[in-house]
Amino acid sequence: MLQLRPNCECCNKDLPADSAEARICTFECTFCADCASTRLKGVCPNCGGEFAARPRRPADMLAKYPASKERIFKPSGCGVAS
């Protein structure tokens, strides 16, 4: 099941489960739309894959299967000092 991670790995921006700004690759690496397009030029720094908009889980399913609370923050892989 998709983890719905809570933040951008580059800038640490909050990305709630219902965020239309979240972008993911096939390994569920998660970034905000701004970092995905500007800093990363559409290529995941972890796996080299492309990004897609992260699907939003319906509210009733989100209650049953909540989003992940684990934050992953790796700014050094995004050309940002950590």
Side-chain angles (χ1 to χ4, degrees):
M1 175 165 309
L2 191 63
Q3 285 188 334
L4 301 178
R5 294 177 184 167
N7 66 302
C8 174
E9 290 185 25
C10 280
C11 70
N12 208 28
K13 177 180 183 174
D14 289 337
L15 295 170
D18 62 351
S19 176
E21 288 191 56
R23 301 292 181 265
I24 60 172
C25 71
T26 61
F27 289 96
E28 298 181 45
C29 303
T30 304
F31 301 91
C32 68
D34 185 51
C35 285
S37 64
T38 57
R39 287 185 181 163
L40 303 173
K41 308 287 188 239
V43 178
C44 178
N46 302 318
C47 69
E50 63 186 4
F51 294 114
R54 181 179 71 189
R56 288 174 274 179
R57 192 168 292 155
D60 59 329
M61 290 289 108
L62 189 58
K64 187 174 180 178
Y65 303 102
S68 174
K69 293 182 181 183
E70 180 185 358
R71 295 181 79 87
I72 298 174
F73 184 45
K74 301 190 277 185
S76 61
C78 301
V80 179
S82 52

